[in-house]
Amino acid sequence: MPDQVSAVPDQASSVPDQALAAPDQASTESGQASAEPDQVSAVPDRSTVRLALVVGGLVLAVLLGFGLGRLNGNPSVAAGPDSALTGHTHAPGTGAHEHGADQAAAAQAGGLSVSSAGYTLTPVAAAFTAGRPGELRFQVRDTQRRPVTRFAVVHDKPMHLIVVRRDLTGYQHLHPTMAADGTWSVPLTLSQPGVWRAYADFTALGDDGRQTPVTLGVDLTAPGGYQPKPLPAPASSATADGFTVGYQGTPQAGVTVPLTFRVDSPGGPATLERYLGAYGHLVALREGDLGYLHVHPEPQPVDGAVTFWVTTPDPGRYRLYLDFQVAGVVRTAEFTLTVP
């Protein structure tokens, strides 16, 4: 845009300077001002004194308010009534995030569509026979149908693939590899006939460097007679390969709350190891539409237990899958959770 200031003529310069053109009356009065004491400057003006007192009082009030705010821990940025995120930190391998934005995203389950946030999950090869090894190949495409090839590394991987049958059995957590053309591939066996759900959980990098976390979902089919299994009864304790895993916490619809998990071996508390940059990974799926919930872990165990922050958007039943590693082996504990 042209500089409007320079385009407009300088009116001040086009008008004769009356102050310079007029005789200097002060200099023609025989130097009386310099000869007599400056009584005006010696006696403060009352309006000036009042103004100074008002300004000083305002400055003092601001300073006192700032000091009280620091002593009170800056209550103006406290968490809202529907959040329990006070003191929450970020796990290794994850980027910083706004808790308010994360809570809003978590309250809306992901993975319900093949397209979201301008990205589309497009299977390239997805033919399976129940019980036989196969391969899943897919691309993530942008709004111009171009394969996306730039992804952020989150939890040590650029792509996390979750696969589960629609009755919430057969859970798998996989990590595909990407070819130069943006095609992801991973060996995959669908153990039982039926319709399965695959979730691609990733963070795309835009041309401008913007990071967009997205979870896309697509159905996979293994032909055959589908006999869904009933969901197990809710319980706060489960077993996985001889380990006993329990959690504490009471989820509430629309509220972010902590769930704390503890893993015990037959000989006592298990020593958890880092797996993909964290001391555990938790996936939550909603019964019915299989909505995928984002879950954030704390970076360090406390007294041998690891805490995750969970937001369940609606009442109903959810299936939780906790991946944990002990002695170099990754295991998964599964729980049914009912949110009133």
Side-chain angles (χ1 to χ4, degrees):
M1 178 181 295
D3 188 349
Q4 297 179 357
V5 175
S6 61
V8 177
D10 188 352
Q11 297 179 359
S13 62
S14 64
V15 178
D17 189 347
Q18 297 178 359
L20 294 177
D24 188 353
Q25 297 180 359
S27 62
T28 61
E29 293 182 357
S30 303
Q32 295 179 2
S34 59
E36 297 178 0
D38 190 357
Q39 297 179 357
V40 175
S41 60
V43 180
D45 185 83
R46 292 182 179 179
S47 62
T48 302
V49 173
R50 286 196 297 269
L51 178 60
L53 290 175
V54 171
V55 172
L58 290 173
V59 172
L60 180 60
V62 171
L63 292 175
L64 287 174
F66 176 75
L68 290 174
R70 291 177 63 88
L71 290 174
N72 290 333
N74 196 7
S76 62
V77 296
D82 60 346
S83 175
L85 290 172
T86 305
H88 173 58
T89 55
H90 309 113
T94 63
H97 52 270
E98 292 292 335
H99 293 142
D102 273 2
Q103 185 172 343
Q108 298 178 357
L112 298 175
S113 173
V114 296
S115 297
S116 179
Y119 297 95
T120 299
L121 177 62
T122 304
V124 176
F128 297 94
T129 300
R132 294 185 181 180
E135 183 182 51
L136 174 63
R137 292 194 293 133
F138 62 92
Q139 291 181 336
V140 175
R141 297 179 180 174
D142 61 17
T143 54
Q144 282 75 44
R145 303 293 297 169
R146 300 173 301 182
V148 179
T149 58
R150 300 179 63 221
F151 298 84
V153 174
V154 179
H155 286 300
D156 292 351
K157 297 291 182 179
M159 177 70 69
H160 296 263
L161 185 74
I162 304 300
V163 180
V164 67
R165 202 167 69 156
R166 293 202 67 89
D167 60 358
L168 298 175
T169 63
Y171 168 87
Q172 301 178 60
H173 183 170
L174 307 172
H175 301 105
T177 57
M178 188 186 73
D181 67 350
T183 299
W184 294 89
S185 60
V186 62
L188 176 61
T189 300
L190 303 183
S191 58
Q192 299 293 328
V195 178
W196 295 67
R197 190 72 173 170
Y199 303 88
D201 187 345
F202 60 89
T203 297
L205 293 177
D207 293 337
D208 57 357
R210 180 178 302 177
Q211 299 188 18
T212 305
V214 186
T215 302
L216 304 178
V218 65
D219 282 340
L220 308 174
T221 302
Y226 174 44
Q227 298 180 351
K229 296 181 180 180
L231 203 61
S236 59
S237 180
T239 58
D241 293 339
F243 291 86
T244 300
V245 185
Y247 75 85
Q248 292 182 335
T250 305
Q252 304 174 46
V255 180
T256 301
V257 300
L259 294 185
T260 301
F261 290 82
R262 184 177 299 276
V263 180
D264 292 311
S265 67
T271 301
L272 296 177
E273 300 171 345
R274 287 190 183 274
Y275 170 59
L276 300 174
Y279 286 96
H281 293 271
L282 183 65
V283 170
L285 299 177
R286 182 170 57 194
E287 183 186 30
D289 63 0
L290 273 62
Y292 182 101
L293 307 184
H294 293 273
V295 183
H296 300 294
E298 289 294 328
Q300 296 290 337
V302 177
D303 295 330
V306 60
T307 297
F308 296 84
W309 295 87
V310 180
T311 305
T312 49
D314 303 293
R317 292 200 298 179
Y318 296 80
R319 192 68 170 164
L320 307 181
Y321 307 88
L322 175 68
D323 295 329
F324 64 95
Q325 179 171 304
V326 177
V329 179
V330 178
R331 299 169 174 86
T332 303
E334 303 182 13
F335 306 83
T336 298
L337 172 69
T338 298
V339 178

